[in-house]
Amino acid sequence: MNKIWIINANIVLENQILNNGFLEMSGGKITVIDQMDNCPSLASIENVIDCQLKGYIIPGMIDIHVHGALGHDFMDADQICYSKMAKYLASEGITAFLATTMTAPMSEIEATIEELSSYYKNQPTAVAEMLGIHLEGPFINGAKKGAQPEEYILKPNVQQFNDLYDKSQQSIRLVTFAPEEDSNFELLKELTSKGIIASIGHSDADYHTAIHALKAGITHATHLFNGMSGLHHRDPGVVGAVLLAEDVYVEVIPDNIHFHKDLLPMVYKMTGLDRLLVITDGIRAKGMPDGMYSLGGNEVEVINNQCIQRKTGSLAGSVLNMNTARKNIEEWLTLSIVEQMRLVSLNQAVHLGFDKRKGSIALGKDADVVWLNEEGEVEKTFCLGNLAFEKG
């Protein structure tokens, strides 16, 4: 693989910005990071990108909750569609993701899992990397189903999950389920024994039950405020339990649709930088014009960035662009570019156990880097050192 140099760049490292620096990418890894004063002469060398000190070089963003994009959905069980979605995600500055499923007939979930596991083992280059599967449903509570089809919701079942896990070739990384429906927390115990992230979501648990579930091994909360019992002064619910916990990672969809933007500072004060995870919850309408789309076999109408299930009036995912989400948290929380990277990249990598190779720009890590121009837009995206997106 040819070497690529990025020069005259403001490089966002894990805890600081290296101004007027350069980096070298080779063999899919970051092999050199240094000041421009120490840069070798590259006048006669190809594959040199001169940032001219404009914008920032940031680590690639990681979306751990995305269902689809560009007219496709991971539940389509089509590897050609998967590669198209992965290519599109790079345009948002996403270099890695978890392919997210949803509640459906078990036969459809099984078919999806098998296709995803096959794709996972033989991924194309120059696209965002699939890090595994996020199983959202079918083991949820119908009272908080949101856009998940109620007729296919199942009680948590260890044997059914293990069948899916085997079909996934052990690539399921995260499971969203309702622990109050889980008899004696049997599924929760199974997830923790396998090192799979157990997430409370689409759950109507009261505060007491939620606290017990957190103590039993829940370490993640799926799309905070949405699909869970809310904060009430006599029952803090799932929202209260996860915000008060000290070791639970919390997903947020910062689009000012799934929750009011003025709530984000409150959430941030309780979670700090280390427990907040920005996601998009994107559906097949992401990157597409307004109109009618399908999700879980139901019609979804997209108008002015809102995705509404026609049948129930429920919100049905989003069309949020990950870089727009980053800009929103920059504005709403007044975060520095270094701090933003924790919420869109590093926290995800740490939580998934991929931080030795992803989540920040450092020597030896994957060459997943994004050039944000002076307007904060994605200029170029590199996935494992391959150019995956170039503006224009």
Side-chain angles (χ1 to χ4, degrees), residues 19-88:
N19 291 306
N20 196 23
F22 79 100
L23 63 80
E24 176 194 86
M25 298 182 285
S26 180
K29 299 292 183 180
I30 297 170
T31 47
V32 180
I33 306 171
D34 208 339
Q35 296 279 356
M36 279 303 297
D37 289 346
N38 300 318
C39 186
S41 175
L42 302 172
S44 61
I45 298 177
E46 297 181 354
N47 299 325
V48 178
I49 298 161
D50 188 351
C51 296
Q52 300 178 343
L53 299 181
K54 296 177 180 178
Y56 294 102
I57 296 297
I58 65 168
M61 293 181 268
I62 302 173
D63 193 352
I64 61 172
H65 191 153
V66 56
H67 294 273
L70 213 63
H72 308 295
D73 190 297
F74 290 113
M75 293 296 294
D76 294 341
D78 185 325
Q79 293 189 43
I80 294 175
C81 293
Y82 297 166
S83 62
K84 289 179 179 179
M85 284 188 277
K87 185 74 171 177
Y88 173 78

Side-chain angles (χ1 to χ4, degrees), residues 157 201 257 327:
N157 182 291
I257 295 170
K327 290 192 286 186

Side-chain angles (χ1 to χ4, degrees), residues 110-287:
E110 289 173 348
T112 295
I113 293 294
E114 288 177 337
E115 287 299 318
L116 284 171
S117 64
S118 177
Y119 175 85
Y120 175 69
K121 298 292 185 182
N122 299 284
Q123 299 186 50
T125 58
V127 301
E129 181 183 359
M130 175 184 162
L131 299 179
I133 298 169
H134 174 177
L135 187 73
E136 186 181 17
F139 308 122
I140 60 175
N141 191 323
K144 295 294 182 182
K145 64 182 185 298
Q148 306 270 341
E150 186 169 12
E151 60 268 32
Y152 303 121
I153 291 172
L154 301 175
K155 291 283 187 181
N157 182 291
V158 171
Q159 185 58 55
Q160 285 181 312
F161 170 74
N162 281 334
D163 288 344
L164 292 174
Y165 189 60
D166 290 342
K167 285 181 169 61
S168 81
Q169 300 181 63
Q170 302 185 354
S171 60
I172 294 175
R173 308 279 181 223
L174 192 157
V175 176
T176 293
F177 73 112
E180 73 276 14
E181 299 290 296
D182 184 17
S183 178
N184 296 316
F185 293 155
E186 292 298 325
L187 178 59
L188 176 53
K189 293 172 187 174
E190 188 70 12
L191 296 177
T192 56
S193 73
K194 284 180 162 62
I196 299 168
I197 297 169
S199 181
I200 188 167
H202 294 284
S203 166
D204 200 32
D206 60 19
Y207 179 70
H208 177 77
T209 304
I211 289 293
H212 276 281
L214 299 184
K215 290 179 178 179
I218 295 283
T219 59
H220 190 104
T222 297
H223 43 48
L224 184 70
F225 299 117
N226 297 274
M228 61 179 60
S229 51
L231 191 65
H232 188 276
H233 59 285
R234 287 191 292 273
D235 182 358
V238 173
V239 171
V242 299
L243 287 179
L244 289 169
E246 295 182 353
D247 55 358
V248 176
Y249 285 80
V250 178
E251 294 180 359
V252 292
I253 310 170
D255 60 359
N256 204 26
I257 295 170
H258 281 80
F259 61 90
H260 195 287
K261 65 182 180 65
D262 289 348
L263 280 174
L264 193 57
M266 180 194 79
V267 172
Y268 176 64
K269 285 179 181 178
M270 299 185 76
T271 63
L273 274 176
D274 296 337
R275 292 198 292 125
L276 209 53
L277 305 166
V278 168
I279 64 164
T280 67
D281 199 9
I283 64 171
R284 70 172 73 243
K286 181 204 277 268

